[in-house]
Amino acid sequence: MKKNGPEARLNELDAKTIEVIESVAQQVRANIVAGRLPNISLPVRSLDNVKYDQAKGYFELGDAHKVRTLTVNTARVFAQTLRLMATSRTMVEHDDYATKREVYYISKNWGECRFDEQADSDAVMDDIEAVASAHGLSREQLRFYPETHGGSVAGRLVVIDRNAVTGETVEVDCSNLGSGAYSIPRSAEHLSFRTDARFVLAIETGGMFQRLNNHRFWEAAHCIIVEMGGVPTRATRRFIRVLSDKQNLPVYCFVDCDPYGFTNIYRTLKVGSGNAAHINRFLCVPRAKFLGVTPQDIIDFGLEDATHKLEPTDIKRAQDALENDPFIAAHPQWIAAITQLLKMGVRAEQQALAKWGLNYVIEEYLPRKLANENGFLP
Amino acid sequence: MKKNGPEARLNELDAKTIEVIESVAQQVRANIVAGRLPNISLPVRSLDNVKYDQAKGYFELGDAHKVRTLTVNTARVFAQTLRLMATSRTMVEHDDYATKREVYYISKNWGECRFDEQADSDAVMDDIEAVASAHGLSREQLRFYPETHGGSVAGRLVVIDRNAVTGETVEVDCSNLGSGAYSIPRSAEHLSFRTDARFVLAIETGGMFQRLNNHRFWEAAHCIIVEMGGVPTRATRRFIRVLSDKQNLPVYCFVDCDPYGFTNIYRTLKVGSGNAAHINRFLCVPRAKFLGVTPQDIIDFGLEDATHKLEPTDIKRAQDALENDPFIAAHPQWIAAITQLLKMGVRAEQQALAKWGLNYVIEEYLPRKLANENGFLP
């Protein structure tokens, strides 16, 4: 069992989290004591209130707020909001946490104010996360952890963690895991690092990650490799962000050359997405750049006969990005690259490099690309 | 770079792999020299030739063979089969490997006999795997690795691997990875282990894995925990199998109480599936047992109000299992459990235990279940 109860030491951020929860609760209480209807002010999370901030480089919530006042109609969700904040507080104090799914089930013991559907508990959780976010606190700080798996990591990195029972420091040397790798935990908040890497290489597919790891590419390239496995999960995004911030490292993305790779995988990693704008500030990776595969790489590395025709969904996604995506619109290089891809009419996967031999990617492609970091897409 | 070329030492299994490939090639050559049409005999992989062997406890190929003779119509696939076997041989010699996707791309340099679609290269690869399987050789031995991610591992286990460049031994202590975990590599063939665990606990969801890991459940329970993340991938299945075999450990599965959990997740882990029968013998985990959540657990642990109604797809899947699944048919306890679930009309997730508190699963559910290992489903 983990140590818990009063003896668990709270750090500064924990204290701030409890302070934010208490200030909301005290306001509710003050209103009740004064004979007024209590209310809670919550940031509006709908897309109307989301903007892409070019200077900050991510999607974020605007200033609109909604006020949840206690009425006959809102009594249940009002109570749920308060109980969920109380749950969060308890978890902070006891150094525990819950996934979205667990939060939903915890409520089954709340009698009349239990959640009927997980969609309902998710919405209330998002509301509380939005309040915390306005105070600079991440969802992990509230002890709401993502359900999904984190990616794998290998390379020139020591992760400094702790034994959750004894509190002892634990060091994981990601250069000494053989053919295996370090599996990213669901929260990276408490981690620190030691590294002499020059950059982080974030890789789309597990197959490519395994190749670069088995051949210890990261050794000579002086880097850390991270497997995203398609669109990176929140745990993976937060880990890369914390690592990039704490160690001041650029993040280079090695992704398929197709609209999905550009606008879903890469863009999600770098700037986040509109419908989770209340937490993007903690998840986005502003120092991410797109190493490849670029449309020009298809020509420069002779991959034409290892490409596939763009499907109608690819074309639609590309056109949609050109017309409606504020991140793409802000970067002429991206407009040019997507336009070039549409003109070529094909897409290429990162594994297509195997056409020139399984390890062409290690011996030729990555060294040539890394020699010209200015050529990366923004 | 990994060491490669003639100096790479081949082990016994590598030598046997090359021997099998050479014997097929020599037969082809002998026929040509004698002026006869060359042919290759391949096990039939269609479902007609798949049977569930109750004694062995897994789905396996029957004895039917097809003969691929060189004709005008088969010239291309005949050449592809030989080239792919040659590729496998080269990879064995150079201690490299390829994913299915990479194999497809490698062929882009084969001129006229390149593969047009990955489905074609997959089929030829499966044929070669079936030949090797008949000689007791796994697909990993041919150096065909799965694309998909392996799950995570933590607990009382030291994985003994090697540095692929220097050949030095690498030991990974899975009890000392903090809140992180060991990410299973795509091939477990070369791994060995040291452990004082009493069993392996294979867990369906990442959220539950993280909970048991963060609270170091495995420490007092003397076990190794493995995250399956839904239906386990081939890398995860093979890892569990090799671990169970080499260390003589039973494997207990902790999965949702629903037809998908029983017949897809658990059954795939234990006996494999009909459409990959040619490799099931290497992937199945005969020592797997079903710890829970069982239909009876819903009653015994008071989870009734944390259940969900069975959907029509659940009911269909359950009925289908009762009528057509030879594994279920072979086990009266499974017939009884699925019949009970259909009668109750509900399903329960493993997270439903959170109804009684986040750590009820650690403090109450698992200890009670583990005290009665005879109560597990087969």
Side-chain angles (χ1 to χ4, degrees):
Chain A
M1 297 275 83
K2 297 171 73 170
K3 76 173 167 226
N4 53 21
E7 82 277 17
R9 267 185 299 283
L10 303 178
N11 67 26
E12 211 177 309
L13 278 175
D14 292 335
K16 191 173 170 190
T17 308
I18 291 179
E19 198 184 299
V20 168
I21 293 172
E22 285 192 347
S23 78
V24 175
Q26 273 159 1
Q27 235 180 330
V28 169
R29 190 190 160 89
N31 274 319
I32 294 172
V33 168
R36 289 189 301 265
L37 281 176
N39 61 55
I40 306 174
S41 172
L42 303 162
V44 171
R45 292 182 292 100
S46 68
L47 283 176
D48 326 338
N49 192 36
V50 171
K51 60 178 199 290
Y52 174 73
D53 187 312
Q54 200 170 331
K56 290 182 183 164
Y58 56 83
F59 288 95
E60 64 164 10
L61 285 189
D63 298 326
H65 275 68
K66 61 187 174 192
V67 175
R68 181 168 290 161
T69 307
L70 179 61
T71 68
V72 173
N73 289 333
T74 63
R76 198 168 179 207
V77 68
F78 199 91
Q80 287 168 334
T81 309
L82 291 176
R83 283 211 75 150
L84 200 46
M85 290 177 75
T87 301
S88 172
R89 186 204 162 117
T90 307
M91 293 193 294
V92 173
E93 285 171 347
H94 290 239
D95 196 18
D96 210 336
Y97 67 92
T99 65
K100 287 193 161 186
R101 197 69 182 155
E102 286 177 327
V103 162
Y104 162 70
Y105 280 117
I106 290 170
S107 83
K108 293 297 181 187
N109 234 341
W110 291 355
E112 277 309 300
C113 79
R114 81 169 67 84
F115 291 107
D116 291 329
E117 302 283 345
Q118 193 189 329
D120 301 338
S121 55
D122 286 356
V124 171
M125 212 161 160
D126 286 346
D127 282 341
I128 299 173
E129 287 174 13
V131 171
S133 170
H135 290 86
L137 297 167
S138 70
R139 67 199 298 271
E140 284 81 9
Q141 195 50 52
L142 290 165
R143 298 301 197 276
F144 299 149
Y145 282 14
E147 186 81 45
T148 49
H149 194 284
S152 298
V153 179
R156 293 176 164 267
L157 175 71
V158 173
V159 178
I160 303 165
D161 198 345
R162 54 171 171 63
N163 177 318
V165 174
T166 63
E168 279 171 282
T169 297
V170 169
E171 298 202 345
V172 182
D173 182 353
C174 297
S175 73
N176 205 27
L177 299 172
S179 53
Y182 172 74
S183 180
I184 295 174
R186 269 138 193 96
S187 173
E189 307 307 304
H190 61 291
L191 301 178
S192 55
F193 308 98
R194 199 168 59 238
T195 179
D196 64 355
R198 293 193 298 110
F199 60 93
V200 176
L201 188 68
I203 301 160
E204 175 172 342
T205 65
M208 184 59 78
F209 173 85
Q210 183 80 59
R211 175 157 303 283
L212 299 191
N213 191 27
N214 272 16
H215 289 268
R216 297 174 76 88
F217 167 78
W218 42 262
E219 201 149 48
H222 272 264
C223 70
I224 300 159
I225 60 175
V226 180
E227 170 195 39
M228 295 192 285
V231 176
T233 63
R234 289 185 178 184
T236 305
R237 291 160 66 195
R238 182 67 183 153
F239 179 87
I240 294 175
R241 165 64 180 277
V242 170
L243 175 60
S244 168
D245 275 7
K246 289 194 178 170
Q247 301 304 129
N248 192 27
L249 290 173
V251 176
Y252 302 148
C253 295
F254 182 23
V255 171
D256 287 350
C257 180
D258 58 31
Y260 189 80
F262 303 159
T263 66
N264 292 55
I265 296 175
Y266 173 69
R267 203 206 59 169
T268 298
L269 182 75
K270 177 147 184 169
V271 302
S273 65
N275 44 25
H278 64 289
I279 46 173
N280 273 340
R281 56 185 296 189
F282 305 106
L283 296 173
C284 65
V285 179
R287 297 200 58 188
K289 287 186 168 186
F290 191 90
L291 174 147
V293 179
T294 64
Q296 187 59 38
D297 286 345
I298 295 177
I299 300 163
D300 293 348
F301 293 88
L303 301 177
E304 290 89 344
D305 62 357
T307 58
H308 295 80
K309 272 210 176 110
L310 289 178
E311 303 286 331
T313 50
D314 294 320
I315 295 170
K316 194 181 166 305
R317 187 172 274 127
Q319 285 168 340
D320 199 45
L322 289 174
E323 284 162 25
N324 303 318
D325 190 324
F327 169 71
I328 301 296
H331 295 102
Q333 300 102 308
W334 270 117
I335 297 174
I338 293 175
T339 307
Q340 182 183 13
L341 191 77
L342 282 170
K343 205 174 285 170
M344 293 165 76
V346 294
R347 60 189 175 82
E349 295 172 5
Q350 49 183 187
Q351 283 103 323
L353 295 157
K355 178 199 148 183
W356 297 115
L358 283 171
N359 292 315
Y360 179 80
V361 60
I362 294 174
E363 290 155 13
E364 194 64 31
Y365 178 78
L366 286 172
R368 266 173 70 184
K369 293 293 293 191
L370 287 165
N372 179 25
E373 293 171 15
N374 291 332
F376 296 169
L377 291 169
Chain B
M1 296 278 85
K2 297 169 75 169
K3 75 174 167 225
N4 53 23
E7 81 276 17
R9 268 184 299 283
L10 303 179
N11 67 27
E12 211 177 308
L13 279 175
D14 292 335
K16 190 172 173 193
T17 308
I18 291 178
E19 199 184 299
V20 168
I21 292 172
E22 283 191 349
S23 78
V24 175
Q26 272 159 3
Q27 236 179 328
V28 169
R29 192 191 160 88
N31 275 320
I32 294 173
V33 168
R36 290 190 300 267
L37 281 177
N39 60 53
I40 305 175
S41 172
L42 303 163
V44 172
R45 292 183 292 100
S46 68
L47 283 177
D48 328 337
N49 193 35
V50 171
K51 60 176 198 288
Y52 174 72
D53 187 312
Q54 200 169 332
K56 290 182 183 163
Y58 55 83
F59 290 96
E60 65 164 9
L61 284 190
D63 297 326
H65 275 68
K66 60 186 174 192
V67 175
R68 183 167 290 160
T69 306
L70 179 60
T71 68
V72 173
N73 289 332
T74 63
R76 197 169 180 206
V77 68
F78 199 91
Q80 287 169 335
T81 309
L82 291 176
R83 283 212 75 150
L84 200 45
M85 290 177 76
T87 302
S88 173
R89 186 204 161 116
T90 308
M91 293 193 294
V92 173
E93 285 172 346
H94 290 241
D95 195 17
D96 210 336
Y97 68 92
T99 65
K100 287 193 162 185
R101 197 70 183 152
E102 285 176 329
V103 162
Y104 162 71
Y105 280 117
I106 289 170
S107 83
K108 293 297 181 188
N109 234 341
W110 289 356
E112 278 309 300
C113 80
R114 80 168 69 84
F115 292 107
D116 291 329
E117 302 284 343
Q118 194 189 327
D120 301 338
S121 54
D122 286 356
V124 172
M125 212 161 161
D126 286 345
D127 282 341
I128 300 173
E129 287 173 11
V131 172
S133 170
H135 290 86
L137 296 167
S138 69
R139 67 200 299 272
E140 284 79 9
Q141 195 50 52
L142 289 164
R143 299 302 197 275
F144 298 149
Y145 282 15
E147 185 81 47
T148 48
H149 194 285
S152 299
V153 178
R156 290 175 166 270
L157 175 71
V158 173
V159 178
I160 303 165
D161 197 346
R162 54 170 171 63
N163 178 318
V165 174
T166 63
E168 279 170 283
T169 298
V170 169
E171 298 202 345
V172 182
D173 182 352
C174 298
S175 72
N176 205 27
L177 299 171
S179 53
Y182 173 73
S183 181
I184 295 173
R186 270 140 193 95
S187 173
E189 308 308 304
H190 60 292
L191 301 179
S192 56
F193 308 99
R194 198 166 60 238
T195 180
D196 65 355
R198 293 192 299 111
F199 61 93
V200 176
L201 187 68
I203 301 161
E204 174 173 342
T205 65
M208 184 58 78
F209 173 85
Q210 183 80 60
R211 173 159 304 284
L212 299 190
N213 191 26
N214 272 15
H215 289 268
R216 298 173 76 86
F217 167 77
W218 42 262
E219 201 149 48
H222 273 264
C223 70
I224 299 159
I225 60 174
V226 180
E227 170 196 39
M228 295 191 287
V231 176
T233 63
R234 290 184 178 183
T236 304
R237 292 161 64 194
R238 182 68 183 151
F239 179 87
I240 294 175
R241 165 64 179 277
V242 171
L243 175 59
S244 169
D245 276 7
K246 291 194 178 171
Q247 302 303 130
N248 191 26
L249 289 173
V251 176
Y252 303 148
C253 296
F254 182 23
V255 172
D256 288 349
C257 179
D258 58 32
Y260 188 80
F262 303 159
T263 66
N264 294 55
I265 296 174
Y266 173 69
R267 203 207 59 169
T268 299
L269 182 75
K270 177 148 185 168
V271 301
S273 65
N275 44 26
H278 65 289
I279 46 172
N280 273 341
R281 55 186 297 190
F282 305 106
L283 296 173
C284 65
V285 179
R287 298 201 58 189
K289 288 187 167 186
F290 191 89
L291 174 146
V293 178
T294 65
Q296 187 60 36
D297 286 346
I298 295 177
I299 300 163
D300 293 348
F301 293 89
L303 301 177
E304 291 90 342
D305 61 355
T307 58
H308 295 81
K309 272 210 177 104
L310 289 179
E311 303 285 331
T313 50
D314 293 319
I315 295 170
K316 193 182 168 304
R317 187 172 277 127
Q319 285 168 341
D320 199 47
L322 289 175
E323 284 160 27
N324 304 318
D325 190 325
F327 168 72
I328 300 296
H331 295 101
Q333 300 101 310
W334 271 117
I335 296 175
I338 293 175
T339 307
Q340 181 182 14
L341 191 77
L342 282 170
K343 206 173 284 172
M344 293 165 76
V346 294
R347 59 188 176 83
E349 295 173 4
Q350 50 184 184
Q351 283 102 325
L353 295 158
K355 178 199 149 185
W356 298 115
L358 284 170
N359 292 314
Y360 178 80
V361 61
I362 295 175
E363 290 154 13
E364 194 65 30
Y365 178 78
L366 286 172
R368 267 173 69 184
K369 293 293 293 190
L370 288 165
N372 179 26
E373 292 171 16
N374 291 331
F376 296 168
L377 291 169

